[in-house]
């Protein structure tokens, strides 16, 4: 349900979402129009001033109450994501736990919203952080409830009202979250809109009273948002976009740890590889390539693919037929270009004929510059690329349009840190699998985005700095 003023918005149109474990229609959800979006924005706009007038610590207390209340619905929300996204129930529980932790971290930052005094003259000069008003958060299908919950925390903490655009393919948990949040937050402060991005999403972006937008998704859609927003006004936009992330393993690395890190970093068991942060390019020194490839292949081959609600399942289906076909075609193209399938490459034997299941796949002998090496597949495909020199490794890592994450493995800390400095990425991990650390700025460079999240930088990005001078003489 899409609710405004505590009542269901009378949305005229609906669209069907599917169950990726069967490929069959699951349920119809509201397909909001531009008029529906406007009603939501106006309601949020009316609710925002009273919220902004609260001292930050009172807003923080409300966020903590929300986190506590959502925790009671952990199993329900995790189940919704498993059903309409195909992600394993175990990992969706972890998504909720991580999101709640982030919400509490942003509540901890309440007093960071204070400004500064600046001795610019003999007068009093100070700054304050002022909310934008109504902000939009547009989430991605691969972590539905995590993005829905964690990404409203900073805007709310900063004093804004939030319009959340639910992901087209996986809207159920976002819609339910708004109902749950309405039980503890002021009315209309947080509203979830569902609908096709080309209509409702575009209407949110182009709405003149939405001056701050945070988006997570594809690079192509991010660029479209920038264009649409620029046509109607001057808006503040942060983008977390695609990635073709490199994991560089030097000859002196701990091979066992690097192999485990490569598999973990691919997010096979979290989102079936459907993650912008997945380390989908494993760059290995040629002297250890055979050994590392064998270890990675063995680890990936043991991943159990099955129904997402089965507690024994380690990887579920891809989210849609389109994502399945795109990944399948990419593997076929990679083989045509000379890549060798080490494991996976087709439908796993552990499932029947229904659903968008694809075995986790490892490709060896992938050439720099090839389609699979350059293109974000957003599926369970790990490409192994060989290099011979440190300079070559850095060149291959940087020779893509993206720059989200990177990982460097070496026992030589000077080499590791020198490489980390040269790699074009917003988030680099040395001698560890790629993962998020709450409180550490996360975001990309180049075509991977603008802005940083999961940190103080995210909180402050949802406020504008106002400078005030008091003339004393």
């Amino acid at each position: 349900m899409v609710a405004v003023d505590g009542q269901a918005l009378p949305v005229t149109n609906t669209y069907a979402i599917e169950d990726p474990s069967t490929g069959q229609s699951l349920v119809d959800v509201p397909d909001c129009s531009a008029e529906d979006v406007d009603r939501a924005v106006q309601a949020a706009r009316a609710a925002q001033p009273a919220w902004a007038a609260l001292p930050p610590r009172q807003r923080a207390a409300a966020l903590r109450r929300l986190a506590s209340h959502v925790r009671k619905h952990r199993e329900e929300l995790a189940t919704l994501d498993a059903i309409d996204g195909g992600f394993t129930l175990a990992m969706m529980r972890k998504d909720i736990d991580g999101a709640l932790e982030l919400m509490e971290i942003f509540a901890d930052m309440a007093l960071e919203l204070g400004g500064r005094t600046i001795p610019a003259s003999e007068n009093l000069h100070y700054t304050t952080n002022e909310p934008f008003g109504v902000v939009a958060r547009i989430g991605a299908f691969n972590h539905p409830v995590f993005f829905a919950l964690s990404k409203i925390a900073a805007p709310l903490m900063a004093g804004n009202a939030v319009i959340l655009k639910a992901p087209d393919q996986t809207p159920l948990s976002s819609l339910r979250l708004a109902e749950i949040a309405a039980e503890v937050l002021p009315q209309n402060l947080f509203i979830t809109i569902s609908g096709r991005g080309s209509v409702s999403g575009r209407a949110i972006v182009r709405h003149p009273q939405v001056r701050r937008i945070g988006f997570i998704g594809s690079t192509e859609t991010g660029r479209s948002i920038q264009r649409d927003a620029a046509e109607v006004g001057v808006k503040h936009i942060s983008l977390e976009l695609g990635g073709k992330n490199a994991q560089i393993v030097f000859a002196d690395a701990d091979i066992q740890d690097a192999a485990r890190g490569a598999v973990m970093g691919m997010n096979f068991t979290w989102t079936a590889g459907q993650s912008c942060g997945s380390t989908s390019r494993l760059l290995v020194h040629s002297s250890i390539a055979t050994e590392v490839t064998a270890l990675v292949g063995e680890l990936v081959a043991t991943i159990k693919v099955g129904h997402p609600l089965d507690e024994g399942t380690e990887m579920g289906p891809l989210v849609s037929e389109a994502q399945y076909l795109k990944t399948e075609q990419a593997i076929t193209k990679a083989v045509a270009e000379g890549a060798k399938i080490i494991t996976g490459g087709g439908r796993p034997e552990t499932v029947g004929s229904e659903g968008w299941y694809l075995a986790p796949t490892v490709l060896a002998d992938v050439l720099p510059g090839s389609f699979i090496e350059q293109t974000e597949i957003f599926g369970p495909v790990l490409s192994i690329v060989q290099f011979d020199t440190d300079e070559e490794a850095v060149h291959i890592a940087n020779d893509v349009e993206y720059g989200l994450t990177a990982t460097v493995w070496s026992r030589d800390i000077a080499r590791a840190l020198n490489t980390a400095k040269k790699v074009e990425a917003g988030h680099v991990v040395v001698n560890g699998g790629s993962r998020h650390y709450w409180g550490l700025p996360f975001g990309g460079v180049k075509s991977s985005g603008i802005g940083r999240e999961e940190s103080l930088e995210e909180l402050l990005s949802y406020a504008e700095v106002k400078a005030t001078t008091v003339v004393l003489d």
Side-chain angles (χ1 to χ4, degrees):
M1 179 181 77
V2 175
V4 173
D5 297 330
Q7 303 294 323
L9 199 64
V11 177
T12 303
N13 298 318
T14 62
Y15 72 100
I17 60 171
E18 68 176 11
D19 178 349
S21 69
T22 64
Q24 303 301 312
S25 178
L26 181 64
V27 68
D28 290 344
V29 296
D31 193 1
C32 293
S33 66
E35 291 74 21
D36 298 325
V37 168
D38 182 62
R39 285 188 59 184
V41 171
Q42 298 307 329
R45 188 167 177 240
Q48 186 268 337
W51 174 253
L54 295 175
R57 288 186 65 197
Q58 288 190 29
R59 296 199 295 267
L63 282 187
R64 295 186 198 282
R65 287 194 297 272
L66 175 59
S68 177
H69 189 56
V70 169
R71 192 170 282 112
K72 300 173 186 175
H73 297 268
R74 177 177 182 259
E75 195 69 10
E76 174 191 0
L77 292 168
T79 301
L80 288 174
D81 276 0
I83 291 171
D84 74 346
F87 314 114
T88 65
L89 187 56
M91 290 305 180
M92 292 305 96
R93 292 176 183 133
K94 290 186 177 182
D95 262 12
I96 294 171
D97 294 342
L100 293 175
E101 186 177 0
L102 262 174
M103 180 165 281
E104 290 168 350
I105 287 173
F106 282 116
D108 290 343
M109 294 178 184
L111 296 183
E112 298 294 339
L113 288 166
R116 297 188 296 148
T117 57
I118 303 169
S121 75
E122 69 279 7
N123 299 301
L124 173 62
H125 307 275
Y126 65 92
T127 65
T128 52
N129 289 301
E130 307 291 331
F132 285 91
V134 178
V135 307
R137 289 287 342 204
I138 304 175
F141 73 76
N142 55 337
H143 293 280
V145 75
F146 174 82
F147 289 143
L149 185 57
S150 69
K151 301 310 179 184
I152 66 172
L156 289 174
M157 187 64 249
N160 301 283
V162 181
I163 302 293
L164 174 69
K165 167 63 176 66
D168 294 23
Q169 304 98 319
T170 55
L172 298 184
S173 62
S174 297
L175 290 167
R176 178 62 181 133
L177 176 63
E179 295 174 345
I180 294 168
E183 297 170 1
V184 293
L185 290 179
Q187 190 175 80
N188 297 329
L189 187 67
F190 163 45
I191 298 172
T192 295
I193 291 291
S194 64
R196 301 180 191 276
S198 59
V199 178
S200 60
R202 196 161 186 253
I204 292 171
V205 170
R206 296 179 67 88
H207 199 288
Q209 290 163 341
V210 176
R211 296 176 39 245
R212 173 72 172 94
I213 301 164
F215 170 73
I216 300 172
S218 72
T219 299
E220 293 75 15
T221 303
R223 290 171 178 160
S224 176
I225 287 173
Q226 287 180 313
R227 288 191 296 270
D228 274 336
E231 287 180 357
V232 297
V234 178
K235 303 196 178 196
H236 297 252
I237 301 174
S238 57
L239 305 170
E240 185 189 317
L241 307 176
K244 194 65 181 178
N245 310 299
Q247 185 158 194
I248 302 172
V249 183
F250 289 107
D252 62 350
D254 185 314
I255 294 175
Q256 296 280 348
D257 283 350
R260 286 190 290 268
V263 177
M264 184 193 82
M266 255 307 297
N267 298 306
F268 287 118
T269 61
W270 209 296
T271 57
Q274 299 166 112
S275 173
C276 57
S278 294
T279 45
S280 56
R281 293 184 299 152
L282 179 57
L283 280 51
V284 184
H285 192 272
S286 57
S287 65
I288 59 170
T290 299
E291 186 175 358
V292 171
T293 299
L295 287 170
V296 169
E298 290 171 6
L299 289 170
V300 173
T302 65
I303 295 173
K304 182 182 176 183
V305 180
H307 194 281
L309 294 180
D310 185 341
E311 294 288 359
T313 293
E314 295 176 300
M315 188 181 113
L318 275 71
V319 73
S320 65
E321 181 182 20
Q323 205 63 35
Y324 174 87
L325 293 175
K326 176 186 175 184
T327 307
E328 189 178 52
Q329 290 162 6
I331 295 171
T332 300
K333 187 174 180 65
V335 172
E337 292 182 332
K340 177 183 177 183
I341 297 175
I342 301 302
T343 188
R347 193 173 187 85
E349 297 178 355
T350 54
V351 297
S353 59
E354 291 188 328
W356 311 122
Y357 292 95
L358 188 66
T361 300
V362 178
L363 301 174
D365 300 333
V366 172
L367 296 176
S370 63
F371 176 83
I372 196 75
E373 194 268 336
Q374 291 281 308
T375 307
E376 184 184 39
I377 306 304
F378 224 66
V381 183
L382 174 60
S383 299
I384 300 179
V385 184
Q386 296 186 32
F387 67 87
D388 292 312
T389 67
D390 293 16
E391 294 73 20
E392 184 184 9
V394 171
H395 173 74
I396 295 171
N398 291 340
D399 193 29
V400 294
E401 68 170 300
Y402 304 104
L404 186 55
T405 75
T407 306
V408 180
W409 293 85
S410 174
R411 289 190 175 97
D412 183 339
I413 193 62
R415 165 187 271 168
L417 293 179
N418 185 49
T419 303
K421 182 178 180 179
K422 292 178 180 178
V423 168
E424 297 169 350
H427 181 78
V428 183
V429 178
V430 173
N431 290 331
S434 180
R435 54 163 290 191
H436 294 236
Y437 294 87
W438 308 142
L440 190 67
F442 185 85
V445 300
K446 301 195 292 187
S447 290
S448 287
I450 301 169
R452 296 295 180 268
E453 300 195 331
E454 302 170 5
S455 60
L456 178 60
E457 286 81 357
E458 180 180 358
L459 175 63
L460 296 180
S461 78
Y462 282 93
E464 295 186 287
V465 175
K466 176 188 286 186
T468 301
T469 293
V470 180
V471 178
L472 299 176
D473 57 7

